[in-house]
Amino acid sequence: MEILDGKKVSNQIKEEITVEVAQMKERGEKVPHLAAVLVGNDGASLTYVGSKVRSCKKIGFESTLIHLPEETTEEDLLKQVHQLNNDPAIDGYIVQLPLPKHIDEEKVLMAVDPDKDVDGFHPTNFGKMALDMETFISATPFGIMELLKRYKVDTEGKHTVVIGRSHIVGRPISILMSQKGNPGNSTVTLAHSRTKNLKELTLQADIVISALGVPKFLKADMVKDGVTIIDVGITRVPDESKEKGYYITGDVDFENVSKKASYITPVPGGVGPMTIAMLLKNTLLARERHNA
Ligand code: NAD
C-alpha cells in the first residue's frame, strides 16, 4: 500500500511555482495576484481562506482578502465582484462558498469574469473543461488528477466509481477521469444519494473517489483488494478532548480500507492540500494568460 501524499506533492508544486514567480520578478514582470472574497464568519471558511492567503504570501504572490459582514446584501456582493472583474491588478479571485442563505450563489458565480475564475466554477469554464478545452479546472478535481499523475497511478481502462455528484467535485472529476488522457481513459460510474446498489458498484471499482462528506462511510467490505482510494471528504467531528474542539476525518474508514488498497489518500494531508496548490497553479495560469 502506498500513501498518496498530498501534502508532499502540494509542497513540490508550491516550490515549482515559487521558482516561476521569482523568475517573473527578475524579468520585472508583475507577479500573480489572487483575491479572496469571504462573506460572514463561518469557521471552516475562515480557515480555508486564511490558509489560501498565507500560501500566496509564501510563494511570492500578491494577495487580497476582502472580508465582508454576514449581512452584506446580494447587490453589494455583486458590486464587489464587478470591481474585481474590472481591477487590472487582480489576476484571479475566488468567492468562498458557502454564501449566507439570503444571497443567490448561482447569481454571484455567474457574475465572475471567466478569465479570472480561478475556482473554475463559471459555466463557461466548466463547459470548456467538459469539452477538453484549455480552461481553469476546479482546484479539487484538478488536484486529484495531478496527484494521480505524479504517482503514475494507472487509470487507463480502469473502472472508477465516484461517490457524490456535486458541481465542485463529483461531477467534474467524473468527467475528467473519463476523458482521453493520462490520467483519464477510465470507465466511470457516478454514484449519488439515490444510487441503489452502491456496494455492488464499489466492489467492482479499481478506483474509488469518495466525495460525499459522511465520516468513515466507505468500509473495507465495500472495496476489492488492490483498489486505489481518493478520499475527498472533510468532516469536522466534535471532540472535546481536542484543543480545537473537533477533529478532521474523511469519508473512508482509513484504518481498515488501507489494508486492502494499493494507493490511498489520507485525511488530512491528501486531497485538501492539493486543492490549495492547484488554486495557486490556476492563479499563475491566469497571470500567464493575461500576459500573453
Ligand atoms: P456535497 O456536500 O455538495 O454533496 C454530497 C454528495 O454526496 C451529493 O451529490 C449526494 O448525492 C452524495 N451522497 C450523499 N449521501 C450519499 C450516500 N449515502 N450514498 C451515495 N452518495 C451520497 O458535496 P461536496 O461539496 O463535493 O463535498 C463532499 C465532501 O468533500 C465534503 O466533506 C466536503 O467538505 C469535502 N470537500 C473537500 C474538498 C477538499 O479540498 N478536500 C473540496 C471540496 C469538498
Side-chain angles (χ1 to χ4, degrees):
M1 184 271 294
E2 189 170 2
I3 297 276
L4 298 173
D5 188 341
K7 198 159 182 214
K8 190 173 94 188
V9 174
S10 73
N11 282 334
Q12 279 166 5
I13 294 169
K14 285 190 216 163
E15 276 165 29
E16 290 161 14
I17 300 176
T18 307
V19 171
E20 286 199 47
V21 175
Q23 288 168 351
M24 282 176 154
K25 267 191 187 152
E26 268 172 31
R27 293 193 297 265
E29 290 171 16
K30 176 189 169 313
V31 298
H33 189 160
L34 175 74
V37 184
L38 174 63
V39 186
N41 292 305
D42 175 68
S45 295
L46 280 165
T47 311
Y48 293 148
V49 169
S51 122
K52 288 167 189 173
V53 170
R54 271 195 310 279
S55 298
C56 281
K57 294 221 165 82
K58 271 195 203 144
I59 63 168
F61 281 11
E62 298 277 342
S63 65
T64 301
L65 172 60
I66 300 161
H67 193 173
L68 303 172
E70 177 81 23
E71 55 280 7
T72 303
T73 63
E74 186 178 284
E75 197 190 345
D76 282 344
L77 180 56
L78 285 169
K79 267 189 206 150
Q80 182 62 68
V81 163
H82 290 301
Q83 261 178 36
L84 288 165
N85 286 346
N86 294 318
D87 183 345
I90 304 292
D91 294 294
Y93 68 96
I94 58 161
V95 180
Q96 184 67 41
L97 302 179
L99 290 170
K101 297 251 176 313
H102 63 274
I103 298 178
D104 182 347
E105 224 162 72
E106 197 175 290
K107 210 165 169 183
V108 174
L109 296 181
M110 288 285 284
V112 174
D113 178 349
D115 288 338
K116 294 191 175 187
D117 170 38
V118 284
D119 254 341
F121 292 163
H122 193 282
T124 297
N125 288 325
F126 195 97
K128 283 183 168 179
M129 181 271 297
L131 295 170
D132 306 336
M133 294 164 74
E134 188 181 85
T135 183
F136 297 116
I137 297 171
S138 302
T140 303
F142 194 10
I144 295 170
M145 296 301 276
E146 193 63 26
L147 200 53
L148 292 170
K149 190 170 165 183
R150 295 206 182 207
Y151 276 92
K152 298 190 172 63
V153 176
D154 186 14
T155 59
E156 176 148 339
K158 305 288 182 197
H159 182 195
T160 296
V161 173
V162 177
I163 312 175
R165 57 179 161 188
S166 75
H167 294 167
I168 60 168
V169 187
R171 189 79 55 80
I173 194 66
S174 72
I175 295 171
L176 292 169
M177 287 297 283
S178 71
Q179 280 176 337
K180 266 190 194 162
N182 184 17
N185 288 337
S186 212
T187 304
V188 177
T189 301
L190 179 54
H192 46 76
S193 53
R194 304 295 173 96
T195 297
K196 290 217 163 71
N197 52 344
L198 184 65
K199 189 173 168 182
E200 248 172 66
L201 296 168
T202 52
L203 276 170
Q204 290 170 29
D206 302 303
I207 302 166
V208 178
I209 302 178
S210 185
L212 73 155
V214 178
K216 299 195 171 128
F217 176 86
L218 193 77
K219 303 272 193 288
D221 68 351
M222 294 171 74
V223 297
K224 67 179 182 187
D225 283 322
V227 68
T228 291
I229 302 282
I230 306 291
D231 188 353
V232 187
I234 299 180
T235 307
R236 290 181 171 199
V237 180
D239 183 346
E240 289 310 320
S241 72
K242 304 280 179 219
E243 202 184 311
K244 287 181 174 168
Y246 65 86
Y247 67 92
I248 299 280
T249 187
D251 288 350
V252 177
D253 176 6
F254 184 90
E255 197 191 330
N256 296 306
V257 172
S258 60
K259 289 177 187 149
K260 292 178 91 175
S262 41
Y263 296 97
I264 187 164
T265 61
V267 177
V271 177
M274 289 302 293
T275 298
I276 296 193
M278 299 325 273
L279 173 69
L280 301 171
K281 179 90 186 166
N282 273 342
T283 308
L284 179 69
L285 289 171
R287 174 86 288 260
E288 287 168 355
R289 287 175 195 164
H290 294 156
N291 261 351

